[in-house]
Amino acid sequence: MKETKYIFITGGVTSSLGKGIISASLGNLLQARGYKITIQKFDPYINIDPGTLNPYEHGECYVTADGMETDLDLGHYERFTGIETTRDNSVTTGRIYLSVIERERRGDYLGKTIQVVPHITDEIKRRILLNATKQDLDFVITEIGGTIGDIESQPFLEAIRQLRWELGSERTLNVHLTFVPYLAAAGELKTKPTQTSVKQLQGFGIQPEVLVLRTEHDLNDDIRRKVAHFCNVDVEAVIQSQDLPSIYEVPMNMMRQGLDAVILKKMGVSQQKAPEMAPWQAFLERREHATEVVRIGLVGKYDLQDAYKSILESLAHAGTYNERKVKAVFVNSEQITRENITEKLQGLAGVVICPGFGTRGIEGKIIAAEYTRTHDIPTFGICLGMQMMVIEFARNVLGYRDANSNEMDPETPHNVIDMMEEQKNVTQMGGTMRLGSYECELVEGSKVWLAYGRRKCIKERHRHRYELNNSYQEEFEHHGMKCVGINPSAHLVEIVELPDRKWYIGTQFHPEYSSTVLHPHPLFMSFVQACIKS
Ligand code: GLN
């Protein structure tokens, strides 16, 4: 294939229909046919990136290897395709406006009036095409966040309309995702919201070629024909997306209904062979056979699934590859006390102490870290979780009762977790943390070194402002908390472990961002193995 083709995924009727999973599944299928692809997300909200958003608003913030704070859907893209996304794969209205306004201030527009059309829409189009100018790609899948009809979405829809006009019908295609509700009282599935949503899209000058209908019940042929008829879409291009036991079954479900085949046909691509889904299928079979449950606690302050999305998925991957079904049990760190900790962690084979920011719930994390250390329960501290392990050790083993992180107590005389030097003059909140991939050298003979297959040096993604204070390093080591992962250029401690415990490891980085379905993360693999054994 010579020219890159562009597939747009829009959504109507309601949010939370699973556009991200459909985009990731389509990417997966095209990749399994041998095409070079990427998936990008364009979010209509005004924030420059989701980095400053509260997880209650938007779920987890996912970090790319090149250090962009992005939407959690990028995590799905990477887990489904194994392709590393970059800052070019995540764009918001805020970023679009920022670059247009910066250019205006530089005088680049030579006195012109700056308008949504053409200046904002041109910038959207430039960014849609950007990935394919940097790498050789057959397909670029662009997911448009939000729901059509939102005021913020309009410039994006206009940009898509223009691109179709400019690039032609074989290089662009719109897949529209809608919802078909079931009215129990009437005993009927209703297609009207879908028809209305497509009409709305047509009002913006976009005719969807493929419809994916999210439904809780099976859609019969009559319903498909009806939708096709009223929406100007071929019957074979009406695909249903029913609730499935796992998101990882969606690609196979889409393939069985011919989502990828119908898209290729409409874009004029001849289809030699079916997608090579054997490795994916093998994962699904392993998953199905892994029925024995291992219960793992997630100690954190956000009592919503999406806040720890990548950790949950990483545990699930590692569970499957260890013939187990991981049951993640949320333990709210704000409710943990010395008195109830035994009961809170009862029946858990291991504990993850979760990342986070701010003081809320941290004493609970420290109590949990002490309990699991003294009871030798496998424990994985991630970022803030690692910092809490360090503080607990300083308080209870080194004897510094007032040990803390500068983040929680700027006055503490024992700042075992301290703000990084380069962070001290930072005043802006967004995108200014230590972000993205950094190298880390592993200490030979350590548990992490073994877990990573005896590698000398690894690379992992970061998102933090604070670090273990190097002036305490020797003291920690002397008392048994070993610093087994060090950044070679800045000498920052990236991993601590207690070698005399079954598995008590904290990482300053976030390994959960790089676990994929076909390549589970070595640390999660090793942690889950320890949980199974304990
Ligand atoms: N709040 C801590 C820091 O900034 C940890 C961040 C995190 O857990 N991602 O260093």
Side-chain angles (χ1 to χ4, degrees), residues 84 437-461 484-486 495 497 509 511 514 519-523:
E84 266 191 10
S437 246
Y438 285 90
E439 284 194 338
C440 171
E441 280 173 359
L442 303 178
V443 170
E444 228 180 282
S446 61
K447 279 203 175 69
V448 284
W449 175 76
L450 282 175
Y452 276 104
R454 299 178 148 79
R455 276 166 62 193
K456 252 196 160 66
C457 191
I458 52 149
K459 269 184 122 176
E460 293 284 0
R461 302 183 204 181
V484 291
I486 308 284
I495 314 176
E497 79 177 36
F509 52 77
S514 47
H519 298 284
H521 193 284
L523 283 186

Side-chain angles (χ1 to χ4, degrees), residues 16-17 44 55 117 158 192 206 230 285 288 303 309 328 339 356 371 374 398 472 515:
S16 305
L17 293 179
V117 183
E158 171 59 13
K192 188 68 88 189
I206 298 172
F230 284 110
E285 275 159 25
E288 208 179 334
D303 53 352
K309 190 87 206 159
E339 291 66 46
Y371 186 88
T374 51
L398 306 189
Y472 288 92
S515 180

